Amino acid sequence: ADRDGYVMAVNAENGKVIWRTDLDVIISGGVGGTADYHVVATRDGEVIALNSTGEMVWRKKISSESLAPPAVDDDRVIVRGTDGSIVALAIEDGKQLWIYSRDVPALSLRGNSVPVMDQSRVYAGLDNGRLVALDIRDGHSVFDVAVATASGRSEIERLNDVDGDAVLDNNLLYIASYQGRIIATDVRRGQLLWTRKISTSTGVAAGTSSLFISDDRDHIWAMDRTNGATLWKQEKMQARQLTRPAVMDDYIIVGDYAGYLHWLSSFDGHFVARVYVDDDGILVPPLVKNNRVYVMTRDGNLVAYQLKPDS
C-alpha cells in the first residue's frame, strides 16, 4: 500500500502487478491480512478490508488513526490506535467486537507496534512502556507487565514507548521499548524471565537461538534467547538509521537511510554483502520469504533479492 490510497497485489516471483485498487484515502497503517482478506488503516481513523481480488468488502470508522498494519486472523482484525485503543473487529463485516483503551502520555514517539495474536490472546506494547495481554474473545486484561519505567525530569527523558514489533515463539514473548528494556516473558503465566537495558524503537527479530535488534544508536546486537546475554555487537553502522533486522538462514539483513541493504553473519556480526537499492532510503524492515528478500523503499519501489551461492 502507498500513502495515496493505492493497494496492490504483486506476484512474488516476477514482480508483476496482479491487481491494483485506488481507495482514495490517505493510508497510515500498511497492509495486514490473510489469503482471503487484506486490511489497511487510514489517517482519518478508518479500517478498510479488501477481498482476494482487491474489491472493498467493508470499511469501519474507529476512534483514531492507526500507524501500524492491522493484525488479522481467520475471525478478527486487531487494530492499534494512536489514542491508546486496541480494537477488535469481525473479519467478515467489520463489526466491533470489543475495545480496550489506555491513556497516552503527553509526549510519545509517532508510531505503533503491531499487536501479536495467538489462539486465545492479543499482546500489545503500549505508549506508556507496558505490555498488555488481552483475552481475544472479549478484550479483558489477562496480565500487564512493564517493559520500561519512565525516568528523568523532562518529558523527552521520560519517553518509553513500545513502538517496535514483538516476537512470540513457543509461549515466549520478546519485546523491547525506547529508552527502556528488552524483556522475555512466559505468556502462559505472565512471568518475566529476563530483562536487558537496551533502547530501540524498531523492535525485535528472532533466529533459532538468538535475538537481534538495532538499537537507538544504530548498533546491532545479537543476544541469547534463553538469558539475554550478549553474543556479539556490531557498531560500524552508527547513525545510519537502521531498520529492524530480518533473519535469513545464517544471515541478518538491515536497511538504512541511504538506501543500502546490509547482510551480516548471524554468528559473529561480520559484514557479508551490501547492495545499493535506492537513494530515498529504506524505512521498513526487509521481508524474508522463500529464500528471497523483499524491500520497500521510501519512494515506493518494491525490490526483490536472492542470495547468489559462491561459485
Side-chain angles (χ1 to χ4, degrees), residues 115-228:
V116 177
M117 286 191 283
D118 62 20
Q119 292 183 341
S120 61
R121 295 176 184 172
V122 176
Y123 306 96
L126 306 180
D127 294 323
N128 61 4
R130 302 193 70 84
L131 164 67
V132 63
L134 308 176
D135 189 295
I136 204 166
R137 297 167 299 178
D138 57 17
H140 80 263
S141 177
V142 180
F143 66 80
D144 182 332
V145 298
V147 182
T149 303
S151 61
R153 295 184 177 182
S154 71
E155 292 292 342
I156 292 177
E157 289 175 329
R158 296 175 64 83
L159 278 172
N160 61 354
D161 288 22
V162 181
D163 277 357
D165 292 343
V167 171
L168 177 64
D169 186 40
N170 291 328
N171 294 313
L172 297 180
L173 182 76
Y174 305 94
I175 192 168
S177 67
Y178 178 71
Q179 296 191 148
R181 306 180 295 178
I182 177 172
I183 70 170
T185 303
D186 185 335
V187 298
R188 293 169 298 183
R189 300 185 293 271
Q191 179 184 3
L192 197 63
L193 301 179
W194 57 259
T195 71
R196 281 289 307 272
K197 186 172 178 55
I198 298 176
S199 173
T200 179
S201 61
T202 59
V204 183
T208 304
S209 60
S210 306
L211 297 176
F212 304 97
I213 69 164
S214 304
D215 71 14
D216 58 6
R217 299 180 65 190
D218 297 305
H219 298 164
I220 301 176
W221 298 68
M223 291 174 286
D224 192 307
R225 286 175 58 157
T226 60
N227 55 23

